[in-house]
Amino acid sequence: PFAMVCAAFGMALIMLPMTEVASQFSDSGGPYLYVRHAFGHFASVQIGWFHLLTLISTVAALSNLFVDHLSTILPSPPSISVRGSIIAILIAGPAIANYLGVQTGSVLNNAITIAKLLPLLLLALIGLFHFAHEPHIIHASEITSPGLSNWTRAMVFGLFLFGGWEDALIP
């Protein structure tokens, strides 16, 4: 929990300058617009392309990661064709829902959000029930003993979790 709070403050340090720059413009475009205004058309096109490449590679990496995690609960590792089919379904499903209309995409988004939040809520309730009967005190050694490398990994993971806010500036 402390690493998540530290990551949130780290992301706030990134968000504050971006918020200040965004307040200076009334047009849409996000980083593309800001760079075009400051450095010209060539640099802004590079920013736009790198943003697009980042989105595409993120979807690819997270789809691949999902199949990796899914393969741990399957009786046997999926073949390359099954793996590719699962990834295709992961990408095509939301694309088809959004193609069918905003309302269909919204319903899918709400269903996925509920599917993500219900297990977290269940875990929190089980944890509260467990610790209500057997309270534990967190000692300082439990926070400091993981070491610097584990804290660094937790911070990078936390910064990744808090990412994505910049996409709201682009439309």
Side-chain angles (χ1 to χ4, degrees):
F2 296 114
M4 292 300 289
V5 171
C6 292
F9 282 120
M11 188 55 73
L13 292 175
I14 297 169
M15 291 174 75
L16 287 173
M18 188 67 121
T19 305
E20 177 61 30
V21 171
S23 71
Q24 304 300 315
F25 294 89
S26 60
D27 296 335
S28 62
Y32 168 83
L33 177 68
Y34 315 147
V35 171
R36 187 181 73 200
H37 184 75
F39 300 108
H41 182 71
F42 180 72
S44 65
V45 169
Q46 288 179 334
I47 291 294
W49 276 107
F50 279 119
H51 185 265
L52 180 63
L53 291 173
T54 300
L55 291 175
I56 292 169
S57 60
T58 300
V59 169
L62 291 177
S63 298
N64 193 35
L65 184 64
F66 177 81
V67 175
D68 284 346
H69 287 286
L70 181 65
S71 66
T72 62
I73 62 172
L74 295 175
S76 63
S79 65
I80 292 176
S81 61
V82 171
R83 185 180 185 84
S85 298
I86 294 171
I87 290 174
I89 291 169
L90 284 173
I91 294 172
I96 291 169
N98 284 316
Y99 176 77
L100 293 175
V102 174
Q103 188 171 6
T104 307
S106 176
V107 168
L108 178 66
N109 187 38
N110 291 340
I112 290 172
T113 301
I114 290 169
K116 288 188 292 188
L117 291 178
L118 280 179
L120 292 173
L121 180 64
L122 182 65
L123 180 66
L125 291 175
I126 290 171
L128 286 173
F129 180 74
H130 174 74
F131 288 116
H133 295 299
E134 299 177 27
H136 296 278
I137 296 175
I138 297 175
H139 300 285
S141 63
E142 294 175 7
I143 297 169
T144 58
S145 66
L148 183 60
S149 65
N150 288 331
W151 268 97
T152 304
R153 275 190 240 127
M155 287 295 295
V156 168
F157 180 67
L159 288 172
F160 174 76
L161 290 176
F162 287 116
W165 54 269
E166 65 278 0
D167 292 338
L169 298 171
I170 291 172

